[in-house]
Amino acid sequence: MRLVSLLPSATEIVYALGLGDDLVGVTFECDEPPAARSSKTVVVGGRDTSGMTPAEIDDYVRTQMAAGGDLYTLHADALAGLAPDLILTQDLCRVCALPSGHVGEALDHLGCKAEVLSLDPYSLADVLASFVEVSAATGVPDRGRELVAALESRLAAVAAAVAGRPRPRVAIVEWVDPPFTGGHWVPDLITAAGGEAVAARPGKRSVRVSWAELAAARPEIVLVTPCGYHLDGAVRQAEALPDFPDAQVWAIDGDGLVVRPGPRLIDGVEAIAAILHPDVVPAARPGTVARVR
């Protein structure tokens, strides 16, 4: 089966299921594993925002969406040339990837008969279920069940380690300028790691909040996990936060561990648990988290 992934998390799922050789097309943001972007055809492009501040990125996104513009460009001819059997996409967030409707329209125009599977998880349980969904669609259902069983075993180990311990109050900052609180599956990661997510929206879209609202939630720990950034970028943004005098401030590799709904979310649970309960959970891997203040 010839597979095309139109979002980074789906690319990670494909590789976790042992289907990397079947993947023929990816997006310009598919950086895990690194070989995905270098060895596959890039069929989705977008603006390079690496030189922009968070405020400038937010302004660009809002301007484009208000004008009805797209944040991503589908290279339709390249996609058609790959002759895919299955395309993995999403409808969860226009800021994260092309909506499935745009993909379907392009396929109709090109006369391409590929199936389109939209992955739209709102909770951690939904994320795990999506692995089984992809494995079934690609003809390897046992691999999905085995992957989920292994990840659930790791979650159970964390739960056992933190059972009965006080749950620190944790605020998640998914964007800093303007500030957005954690939504979708992100609060579930805090719960699974032995914390209490405050000023959060479990199972719902992230929303803009004020720093005063976050402070009023009385967090003991503030986690800065910006979408689109790894640890270095998260640290820079965490350093610019206003003062939270009664809270520790930590930066996390957002793209690697928190905001992409792929298998590495379980790495994120383990890393967050190490922050919240360092005396009973092994330290997070180097390069994944950093205490800022």
Side-chain angles (χ1 to χ4, degrees), residues 24-47:
V24 294
V26 296
T27 81
F28 75 112
E29 293 180 317
C30 292
D31 59 359
E32 179 60 34
R37 190 165 56 189
S38 62
S39 64
K40 311 296 182 181
T41 300
V42 174
V43 296
V44 173
R47 181 171 177 176

Side-chain angles (χ1 to χ4, degrees), residues 103-178:
V103 178
E105 291 172 1
L107 294 180
D108 290 342
H109 175 72
L110 295 165
C112 183
K113 302 301 183 182
E115 292 186 32
V116 177
L117 177 59
S118 183
L119 305 177
D120 301 303
Y122 276 81
S123 67
L124 181 56
D126 290 346
V127 173
L128 295 176
S130 73
F131 305 162
V132 177
E133 189 176 9
V134 173
S135 70
T138 52
V140 289
D142 288 347
R143 296 188 193 181
R145 290 190 288 267
E146 291 168 1
L147 174 61
V148 170
L151 297 174
E152 287 179 336
S153 177
R154 290 167 59 189
L155 287 172
V158 173
V162 303
R165 298 175 61 82
R167 288 181 168 266
R169 297 172 60 82
V170 182
I172 316 112
V173 181
E174 286 192 15
W175 198 254
V176 302
D177 193 5

Side-chain angles (χ1 to χ4, degrees), residues 63-109:
T63 300
Q64 285 290 103
M65 295 182 70
D70 290 326
L71 300 173
Y72 298 90
T73 302
L74 178 65
H75 304 314
D77 290 340
L79 176 62
L82 294 175
D85 300 302
L86 178 66
I87 299 173
L88 302 174
T89 184
Q90 61 93 51
D91 286 312
L92 189 70
C93 175
R94 282 187 60 195
V95 179
C96 300
L98 278 166
S100 63
H102 290 202
V103 178
E105 291 172 1
L107 294 180
D108 290 342
H109 175 72

